[in-house]
């Protein structure tokens, strides 16, 4: 995947942005953070501020590690984990394996970027709403973000199919 370097740069930018955003808002969050709202905009689920922080920081760390490991260690994956690739005998042959693994590792970094971006945007909305900032139509915004996320994942899957489809 040719955009692997761009994805890795975006991942690092997202990590810094998510951490910056967290530390910017954390001091202003109430002791109980509303994380889910009902149809009338009333808090439906709350977390203690420390649990909220642990959850968000855990997500940032997990997808950071996931993206970095996918980028730098995918070539060490045994072939048994790559048998999901159509015509894997061809694509995992010694002459094709480096390009195959490079494409797969790039795609996995993009999954980390997309997922971290979705979580960062979601947590931004949660923190804004808990610090008294006006957030208009959170459910609509979250639905839109999820649609973008799922569309991007769909395009990655289509790229996977196109990349690894053998013409007969």
């Amino acid at each position: 995947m040719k955009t692997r370097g761009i994805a890795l740069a975006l991942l690092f930018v997202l990590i810094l942005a998510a951490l910056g955003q967290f530390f910017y808002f954390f001091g202003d969050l109430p002791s109980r953070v509303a994380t889910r709202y009902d149809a009338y905009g009333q808090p439906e689920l709350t977390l203690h501020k420390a649990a909220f922080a642990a959850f968000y920081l855990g997500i940032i760390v997990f997808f950071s590690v996931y993206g970095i490991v996918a980028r730098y260690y995918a070539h060490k994956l045994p072939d048994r984990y790559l048998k999901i690739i159509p015509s894997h005998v061809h694509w995992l042959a010694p002459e094709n394996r480096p390009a195959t693994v490079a494409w797969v590792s790039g795609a996995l970094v993009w999954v980390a970027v997309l997922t971290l971006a979705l979580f960062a945007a979601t947590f931004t909305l949660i923190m804004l709403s808990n610090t008294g900032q006006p957030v208009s139509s959170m459910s609509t915004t979250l639905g839109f973000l999820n649609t973008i996320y799922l569309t991007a994942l769909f395009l990655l899957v289509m790229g996977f199919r196109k990349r690894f489809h053998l013409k007969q």
Side-chain angles (χ1 to χ4, degrees):
M1 180 170 268
K2 294 178 179 130
T3 60
R4 191 171 43 171
I6 294 169
L8 196 61
L10 275 175
L11 181 64
F12 285 120
V13 167
L14 273 170
I15 292 166
L16 293 175
L19 288 172
Q21 158 227 45
F22 171 77
F23 289 116
Y24 179 79
F25 283 110
F26 186 74
D28 295 334
L29 291 174
S31 62
R32 303 274 316 162
V33 179
T35 57
R36 189 172 68 198
Y37 298 87
D38 64 15
Y40 304 103
Q42 299 302 313
E44 194 173 60
L45 177 68
T46 61
L47 290 175
H48 189 274
K49 186 177 181 177
F52 175 80
F55 184 65
Y56 188 36
L57 292 174
I59 286 172
I60 294 170
V61 168
F62 176 80
F63 285 103
S64 302
V65 170
Y66 171 85
I68 293 165
V69 167
R71 168 64 171 92
Y72 292 107
Y73 295 103
H75 67 277
K76 293 185 178 188
L77 279 173
D79 287 352
R80 69 178 178 268
Y81 294 120
L82 299 171
K83 288 189 177 181
I84 191 171
I85 297 172
S87 306
H88 62 274
V89 173
H90 170 77
W91 294 112
L92 297 176
E95 65 274 9
N96 295 327
R97 192 177 199 288
T100 298
V101 172
W103 195 96
V104 169
S105 71
L108 292 174
V109 174
W110 276 110
V111 169
V113 166
L114 292 169
T115 306
L116 188 55
L118 175 67
F119 274 111
T122 301
F123 277 83
T124 298
L125 291 172
I126 290 170
M127 289 187 278
L128 283 171
S129 71
N130 279 277
T131 56
Q133 309 274 341
V135 178
S136 61
S137 188
M138 187 183 289
S139 63
T140 303
T141 305
L142 290 174
F144 179 69
L145 291 172
N146 281 317
T147 301
I148 292 171
Y149 174 75
L150 292 173
T151 301
L153 287 180
F154 176 76
L155 292 173
L156 270 175
V157 170
M158 291 297 99
F160 178 87
R161 185 182 182 288
K162 181 181 178 187
R163 167 66 173 88
F164 296 110
H165 179 73
L166 286 178
K167 294 172 179 64
Q168 300 289 332

